[in-house]
């Protein structure tokens, strides 16, 4: 990490307010473990995977060896991290790459999170240990071709037929779903009209049930190294015991999304830190007009503005972790953080690209990858506009959605 000197103490260029001093031993250990993995294993290979839009399967065993899958979940082989340590984990993965962070987030926060939050004890014992070891890969199927921000109106149906549920419909942008072993599918029960979560899983031969198909979405400008296919469900039969016991309405899907939304803020911070540190180092090395561009007023001003935004984002994240640990973080609070961080990190990455000039267009410098990955973060788990309306509803008591 780039460091600078202010007076006598040496401080991290991206931790200007020395917030890492507030890390617990657990969070510091997570930071060091993940940063080591990123610098040693991820960064040397990720650009090639990103450029070819291929998933880096070679990194999956190395991620498993970190012992961090499952994050805040306790038991079942999961590490039971504090909210602060979990946030630092997300920050450090995103500092490396957004695609790998999305793979991890889908596995840990959405798929495992749904099972841990809404599954019965038998269901937790059945799926979580294998998922914690990354022997079992998960996916979370909520978004549909016609329903993103208004996912509450989802059209995928579940019909009870004896000892099975029969699923029909389509899902879109479902990370990991072309190779996942278990897919948490959210569908509307035709009998009572309520939304429920049903786990579709491969059989012992590694095959999906008849009627399940996944087609990769291609041509993405960001998060190219994570596979996010379209899913088609045509009469897919799933045993009744695969319905998550406590998933009884769309509110339960919202509970899962609320618990993970803070992760998008931490991820935005990671992308911003990476882009800023690359730009700072580049400015000190790049010569123009016979001197480093770091000596130019315009570049120094831009770097100072980037650091100010990153510092504000860090303060948000640390306070958010405190509130989560106390059980006091509300959905609108998480929305405010996601809205703010996605917007600010997007700009920090854009400013870093600008400092690198033409070289900023090349993925070999990594900034272009972080910039386009932030375009994805800006949209998923609720766009900037949707987050603002969630906060606005909380402030005024009036919903602007409908």
């Amino acid at each position: 990490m780039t460091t600078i000197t202010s007076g006598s103490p040496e401080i991290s260029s991206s931790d200007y307010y020395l917030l890492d001093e507030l890390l617990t031993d657990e969070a510091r250990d997570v930071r060091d473990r993940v940063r080591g993995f990123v610098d040693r294993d991820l960064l040397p290979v990720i650009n090639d995977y990103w450029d070819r839009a291929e998933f880096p399967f070679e990194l999956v065993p190395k991620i498993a060896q970190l012992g961090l899958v499952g994050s805040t979940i306790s038991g079942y082989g999961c590490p039971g991290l504090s909210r602060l340590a979990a946030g630092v984990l997300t920050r450090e993965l995103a500092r490396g790459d957004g695609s790998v962070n999305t793979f991890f987030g889908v596995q840990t926060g959405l798929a495992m999170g749904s099972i841990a939050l809404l599954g019965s004890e038998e269901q937790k014992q059945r799926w979580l240990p294998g998922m914690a070891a990354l022997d079992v890969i998960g996916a979370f199927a909520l978004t549909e071709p016609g329903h993103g921000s208004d996912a509450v109106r989802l059209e995928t149906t579940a019909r009870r037929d004896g000892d099975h549920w029969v699923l029909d419909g389509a899902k879109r942008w479902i990370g990991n779903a072309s190779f996942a072993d278990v897919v948490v599918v959210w569908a509307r029960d035709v009998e009572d009209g309520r939304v429920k979560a049903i786990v579709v899983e491969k059989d012992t031969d590694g095959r999906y049930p008849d009627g399940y198909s996944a087609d990769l979405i291609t041509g993405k400008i960001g998060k190219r190294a994570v596979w996010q296919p379209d899913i088609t469900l045509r009469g897919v039969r799933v045993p009744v015991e695969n319905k998550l016991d406590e998933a009884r309405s769309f509110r339960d899907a919202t509970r899962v999304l609320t618990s993970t939304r803070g992760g998008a803020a931490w991820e935005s911070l990671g992308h911003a830190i990476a882009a800023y540190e690359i730009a700072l180092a580049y400015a000190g090395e790049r010569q123009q007009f016979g001197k480093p561009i770091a000596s130019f007023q315009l570049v120094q001003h831009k770097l100072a503005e980037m650091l100010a935004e990153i510092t504000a984002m860090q303060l948000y994240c640390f306070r958010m972790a405190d509130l989560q640990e106390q059980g006091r973080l509300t959905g609108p609070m998480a929305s405010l953080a996601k809205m703010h961080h996605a917007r600010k990190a997007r700009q920090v990455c854009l400013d870093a690209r600008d400092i690198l000039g033409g070289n900023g267009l090349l993925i070999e410098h990594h900034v272009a990858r972080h910039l386009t990955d932030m375009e994805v973060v800006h949209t998923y788990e609720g766009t900037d506009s949707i987050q603002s309306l969630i906060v606005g509803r909380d402030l005024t008591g009036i919903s602007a959605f409908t």
Side-chain angles (χ1 to χ4, degrees):
M1 179 182 290
T2 305
T3 56
I4 59 177
T5 300
S6 177
S8 56
E10 189 179 68
I11 62 177
S12 165
S13 63
S14 59
D15 184 21
Y16 213 68
Y17 276 19
L18 308 178
L19 287 170
D20 269 11
E21 292 183 359
L22 303 180
L23 294 180
T24 61
D25 289 342
E26 175 196 51
R28 193 170 290 109
D29 174 63
V30 168
R31 178 199 64 191
D32 294 344
R33 259 192 282 174
V34 178
R35 190 171 297 179
F37 159 74
V38 164
D39 293 344
R40 178 184 62 252
D41 300 314
L42 188 152
L43 288 178
V45 302
I46 195 59
N47 282 343
D48 183 52
Y49 283 106
W50 192 96
D51 196 31
R52 291 184 287 117
E54 293 188 6
F55 181 73
F57 285 102
E58 69 171 277
L59 294 178
V60 173
K62 297 175 181 179
I63 295 171
Q65 289 170 8
L66 294 173
L68 299 173
V69 180
S71 188
T72 59
I73 300 171
S74 295
Y76 314 101
C78 301
L81 299 178
S82 69
R83 292 293 182 170
L84 179 60
V88 170
L89 165 56
T90 299
R91 182 191 74 186
E92 293 299 321
L93 275 181
R95 173 183 165 269
D97 179 66
S99 296
V100 172
N101 182 67
T102 290
F103 164 76
F104 188 93
V106 169
Q107 175 79 4
T108 290
L110 294 175
M112 295 179 70
S114 294
I115 295 168
L117 187 65
L118 304 172
S120 66
E121 182 60 30
E122 185 277 331
Q123 289 169 330
K124 295 174 189 178
Q125 294 286 355
R126 177 180 171 188
W127 287 309
L128 290 180
M131 297 179 81
L134 281 183
D135 293 329
V136 176
I137 304 299
F140 177 91
L142 175 64
T143 302
E144 297 182 348
H147 300 285
S149 296
D150 68 342
V152 66
R153 298 180 182 273
L154 64 83
E155 297 177 40
T156 297
T157 61
R159 174 175 55 84
R160 181 72 181 267
D161 181 20
D163 292 335
H164 290 80
W165 289 96
V166 181
L167 300 174
D168 287 281
K171 298 292 183 178
R172 187 162 175 80
W173 298 112
I174 310 305
N176 305 347
S178 57
F179 58 88
D181 301 287
V182 296
V183 183
V184 180
V185 176
W186 293 86
R188 192 175 302 280
D189 187 343
V190 297
E191 183 175 343
D192 60 14
R194 300 176 75 84
V195 172
K196 297 171 183 178
I198 298 170
V199 178
V200 175
E201 60 182 331
K202 290 180 177 177
D203 62 23
T204 54
D205 294 324
R207 295 177 299 190
Y208 290 112
D210 291 342
Y212 178 98
S213 63
D215 298 304
L216 290 183
I217 296 172
T218 60
K220 296 189 297 179
I221 67 165
K223 300 231 178 185
R224 289 171 55 81
V226 68
W227 288 347
Q228 297 166 299
D230 287 319
I231 295 177
T232 303
L233 303 154
R234 294 191 180 95
V236 177
R237 298 181 68 83
V238 183
V240 291
E241 59 266 24
N242 282 27
K243 188 193 84 68
L244 296 183
D245 269 17
E246 300 300 318
R248 302 189 179 103
S249 73
F250 189 79
R251 288 183 181 274
D252 296 313
T254 301
R255 288 168 61 196
V256 176
L257 294 174
T258 298
S259 70
T260 63
R261 188 164 292 140
W266 280 100
E267 178 184 359
S268 299
L269 174 59
H271 287 298
I273 287 174
Y276 164 76
E277 291 185 343
I278 292 166
L280 178 60
Y282 183 88
E285 299 164 358
R286 176 67 169 172
Q287 298 277 328
Q288 290 288 283
F289 305 103
K291 55 186 177 181
I293 64 172
S295 66
F296 300 152
Q297 291 181 2
L298 289 175
V299 172
Q300 290 190 11
H301 175 74
K302 196 177 293 287
L303 289 168
E305 291 286 333
M306 294 161 72
L307 177 61
E309 299 296 8
I310 286 171
T311 302
M313 293 164 68
Q314 289 169 331
L315 292 167
Y316 261 84
C317 282
F318 273 65
R319 179 55 177 161
M320 184 170 60
D322 284 340
L323 292 170
Q324 284 179 300
E325 208 65 59
Q326 299 169 30
R328 296 169 58 202
L329 185 77
T330 66
M333 286 178 179
S335 289
L336 184 67
K338 201 276 182 177
M339 178 188 77
H340 175 272
H341 284 44
R343 183 186 303 165
K344 298 302 185 180
R346 196 184 191 192
Q347 186 62 50
V348 168
C349 291
L350 186 62
D351 288 342
R353 213 281 319 155
D354 187 53
I355 288 173
L356 268 66
N359 285 330
L361 301 173
L362 302 173
I363 59 171
E364 67 181 85
H365 295 282
H366 301 291
V367 168
R369 179 165 48 79
H370 287 289
L371 172 60
T372 53
D373 283 357
M374 267 310 305
E375 288 298 312
V376 181
V377 181
H378 190 260
T379 298
Y380 71 26
E381 296 204 32
T383 64
D384 185 18
S385 298
I386 291 298
Q387 304 300 347
S388 69
L389 295 182
I390 292 173
V391 176
R393 180 178 60 191
D394 193 53
L395 295 176
T396 65
I398 303 170
S399 176
F401 288 101
T402 57

